[in-house]
Amino acid sequence: ASSRGKWLVPLPDGMTPERAMAIGTAGFTAMLCVQALEDAGVTPEWAAGAPILVTGASGGVGSVAVALLAARGFTVTASSGRPELNSYLKALGASEVIDRATLSNEETYRALDKEVYAGVVDAVGGLTLSTAISRTKYGGAVAACGLAGGGDIPKLQVFPFILRNVRLLGVDSVMAAPALRERAWKSLAALLPKEAVDAVTQVVALEEVPKHAEAILKGAVRGRVVVKL
């Protein structure tokens, strides 16, 4: 197998190949989201204790985003539909865990809701993204990277953008520029505690893949699965 040189990024000091694979595209995307927020001015100092909302927090992108944001000094609110993982999310650094249903209720949705979040990392899309935008504080930003809840943004109106100066930031991990990739991987090596990665990673043999693939499709796998070749 071979790859184009321009697609490759040097492995950062202190990171093993196994840990890089455990972080994977999901963790890389989470880091791009955190960088996008901070590049937009949403820093721990600016947030001043106001939380960053992470949607889909029990998933691959969301769980790493929770850990990264907490490591950077943000207060983190995690949204999840799996209450059995609340303790896990708090162990990663979330100060609060909320039911995802509170962000996807058409009856309670308001185009300009109460200002709650300094920023958002959204891996869900759909009405969840609309609600998150409507609850973002003045000058905040929303990094959107997923569509698990739908590819549309229903009911969204322009009010958060023109009255609160909220920025919606698209995050793509596939075509990210080499400099952005290298910066992200260096930040992952520096910010993400290796213990946090190891705690949510299981290494399996190639012949075990079908069994684990079935479990993943059923939503029965937490964290990361690395296949040893």
Side-chain angles (χ1 to χ4, degrees):
S2 62
S3 296
R4 295 183 182 181
K6 64 180 181 180
W7 293 349
L8 304 179
V9 175
L11 190 68
D13 292 340
M15 182 178 290
T16 65
E18 292 81 7
R19 193 164 290 122
M21 290 299 96
I23 293 170
T25 301
F28 171 59
T29 302
M31 189 70 248
L32 291 177
C33 288
V34 175
Q35 289 181 175
L37 291 181
E38 294 196 323
D39 289 348
V42 180
T43 63
E45 295 75 22
W46 181 86
I52 303 295
L53 171 67
V54 178
T55 68
S58 56
V61 174
S63 58
V64 178
V66 169
L68 289 170
L69 289 163
R72 282 289 293 118
F74 288 101
T75 300
V76 182
T77 294
S79 166
S80 171
R82 300 176 65 183
E84 70 275 14
L85 296 183
N86 287 4
S87 296
Y88 162 70
L89 291 171
K90 288 186 176 181
L92 289 177
S95 298
E96 178 187 23
V97 181
I98 63 173
D99 188 336
R100 67 184 180 190
T102 63
L103 300 173
S104 57
N105 189 326
E106 292 188 4
E107 295 182 0
T108 60
Y109 173 78
R110 298 173 61 189
L112 200 66
D113 211 332
K114 180 180 179 181
E115 295 180 60
V116 179
Y117 306 114
V120 181
V121 172
D122 175 66
V124 176
L127 187 58
T128 294
L129 176 55
S130 303
T131 303
I133 292 171
S134 76
R135 296 179 185 177
T136 300
K137 295 171 66 69
Y138 186 94
V142 178
C145 67
L147 43 63
D152 58 345
I153 314 179
K155 295 183 176 291
L156 181 66
Q157 299 185 31
V158 300
F159 298 118
F161 307 116
I162 65 174
L163 297 180
R164 290 184 181 163
N165 195 33
V166 172
R167 274 79 43 82
L168 178 58
L169 312 169
V171 175
D172 161 59
S173 62
V174 176
M175 301 301 293
L180 193 60
R181 290 173 177 272
E182 188 165 354
R183 174 188 168 199
W185 280 105
K186 285 182 178 179
S187 295
L188 283 163
L191 284 175
L192 195 60
K194 66 178 184 178
E195 296 81 6
V197 178
D198 294 343
V200 298
T201 301
Q202 54 179 317
V203 180
V204 303
L206 184 60
E207 57 268 22
E208 297 178 277
V209 168
K211 177 182 68 175
H212 287 277
E214 184 176 342
I216 289 172
L217 291 174
K218 291 180 179 179
V221 172
R222 185 190 76 178
R224 313 294 293 162
V225 177
V226 174
V227 179
K228 185 175 183 180
L229 300 177

